[in-house]
Amino acid sequence: LLLISQFLNAFGVQAVLFVILGQLTFQHNAGLITAKQLGIANALYACLLYLPYVGFAPLAGFLNDRFPKTRWLLGGNLIALAGVGIAALSLLGHPFWQGIGYFIVGLGACIFSPAKYGILPEILPTERLVKANGTIEMLPLVAILSGVMGGGAMIEKLPVWTCYCLLAVVFALGAILNFIMTKTPFKPDV
């Protein structure tokens, strides 16, 4: 359950970015934005994913050590799901919602990230930790590359609204998997 939800989270985070960037590329091709505006937007959206890591990662790690990690995994996916919903509001004609939504997706990923590593000693015996850590490291790379290709393919072949709905399903499935995981312990004194 952990590996599948982790894959879905990393896939979804990258796919959202490419759906947003695909919309901007369509606007550029239609002459609605300049090449310079497209370049600035590309840089801005890449930063929006990582700003939450810079600002909130220490707090996320601190809280992940004290509270059940399965709930932090669930929370990370639910926050990312909310971010997709907010980004979809851009379809009503207000493109700034994409930036706010993607920042929130990044916040969800920031909350999810320390839990996926910290949970391993709580759910596995010591002799399986090396293999599990390797898998936890490898799987996001595969998911990120898949998310890049999947997001690009979605925005190229599907209506934007459908893309956002599919991304919402991705994060919702991850959240469901996290919800059905056996709850890990509460450790307020760590």
Side-chain angles (χ1 to χ4, degrees), residues 57-188:
L59 178 61
F62 175 81
L63 294 172
N64 266 281
D65 283 342
R66 282 151 185 79
F67 298 99
K69 290 171 186 61
T70 48
R71 295 307 172 235
W72 283 104
L73 293 168
L74 172 64
N77 272 320
L78 290 176
I79 290 169
L81 175 60
V84 169
I86 291 169
L89 291 175
S90 66
L91 298 175
L92 300 175
H94 304 289
F96 68 91
W97 288 113
Q98 287 177 327
I100 293 169
Y102 197 56
F103 178 83
I104 293 171
V105 168
L107 183 60
C110 173
I111 288 170
F112 188 94
S113 191
K116 72 183 179 190
Y117 294 108
I119 198 171
L120 293 178
E122 296 178 9
I123 63 173
L124 293 172
T126 306
E127 62 272 5
R128 292 183 57 199
L129 288 179
V130 172
K131 183 177 180 183
N133 274 319
T135 304
I136 288 289
E137 282 295 321
M138 177 210 50
L139 197 57
L141 297 174
V142 173
I144 288 167
L145 293 173
S146 299
V148 168
M149 293 183 294
M154 276 193 277
I155 195 66
E156 188 175 309
K157 300 195 182 301
L158 300 171
V160 179
W161 178 250
T162 304
C163 294
Y164 282 121
C165 289
L166 289 173
L167 292 167
V169 168
V170 166
F171 287 114
L173 285 174
I176 290 167
L177 293 174
N178 297 139
F179 182 75
I180 62 175
M181 290 175 74
T182 303
K183 189 176 177 184
T184 54
F186 178 78
K187 298 178 180 181

